Amino acid sequence: RLKTEIDEVVIVTGDKDLYQLVNKKVKIYGPVRGLSEAEMFDEKKVKEKMGVGPEQIVDYKGLVGDGSDNYPGVPGIGPKTAVNLIREFGDIGDIYRNLDKAGEKFGQTVKEKLIKGEELGKLSYKLATIIRDVPLEVEIKNCRFEYNDQVKASLAVKMKELGFKSIVERLEGGKKREVRSGKREKKKEDGQLGLL
């Protein structure tokens, strides 16, 4: 619960699970083709990209799964079939309540996949669902953040402690890569001299 009313929230992420949070006030700014090209996703844009609206993303993920988050979905149900099932029946619960109709409309094979994969589909649905009713009070003034050289340096130290080597390299402007390559060359040289 925010103690201050906010007009708009923009979440910067490439995680499509967060599309379920998109509404009139919440948008996602995320990569389209790699990190160099990004786009703002509102409700309309989510539907264009995914084939379903933000309110149906969890149903979609329950059916299709998500390899990057390691949940399987219903084996054999791909994006097109999932979108068609959701458009026809509404949500994953209604799909399972209408298995006979799903079989008539989309074929017995789809019905059999749904039956066989029901447990995984419902588990995937649960794993994809972002819990929104966490009791949390936030003062917006305490969330303000200014990125500067001092913050960058302390962030690099923390990332080093946590073992995020590639982030440290980016924060330090590639210095680490040069040091590493120097070490590699030295080891290589030591190895070659050892042959003599």
Side-chain angles (χ1 to χ4, degrees), residues 22-103:
V22 172
N23 59 36
K24 296 206 183 311
K25 286 189 170 192
V26 178
K27 294 177 177 62
I28 301 284
Y29 185 73
V32 179
R33 284 176 221 89
L35 294 173
S36 61
E37 290 183 46
E39 214 170 317
M40 190 71 73
F41 289 87
D42 58 10
E43 292 168 289
K44 183 181 175 190
K45 200 75 168 172
V46 168
K47 191 162 189 169
E48 283 174 17
K49 180 164 180 80
M50 302 300 292
V52 296
E55 69 285 354
Q56 297 167 316
I57 289 295
V58 180
D59 300 294
Y60 175 86
K61 293 284 189 161
L63 293 168
V64 175
D66 189 327
S68 64
D69 287 329
N70 208 22
Y71 49 86
V74 176
I77 300 293
K80 286 182 183 177
T81 303
V83 167
N84 289 331
L85 286 164
I86 291 166
R87 285 182 182 164
E88 182 70 23
F89 299 106
D91 63 35
I92 200 165
D94 285 336
I95 291 166
Y96 277 101
R97 281 187 285 279
N98 291 286
L99 282 172
D100 289 333
K101 288 181 185 174

Side-chain angles (χ1 to χ4, degrees), residues 8 11-12 51 54 57 59 61-63 65 67 83 86 104 115 126-127 131 133 138 146-147 157 164 176:
E8 183 180 56
I11 301 169
V12 180
I57 289 295
D59 300 294
K61 293 284 189 161
L63 293 168
V83 167
I86 291 166
E104 289 168 20
I115 291 168
K126 187 176 179 180
L127 292 171
I131 298 169
D133 59 354
V138 177
E146 184 181 329
Y147 188 73
V157 168
F164 292 105
K176 281 287 186 193

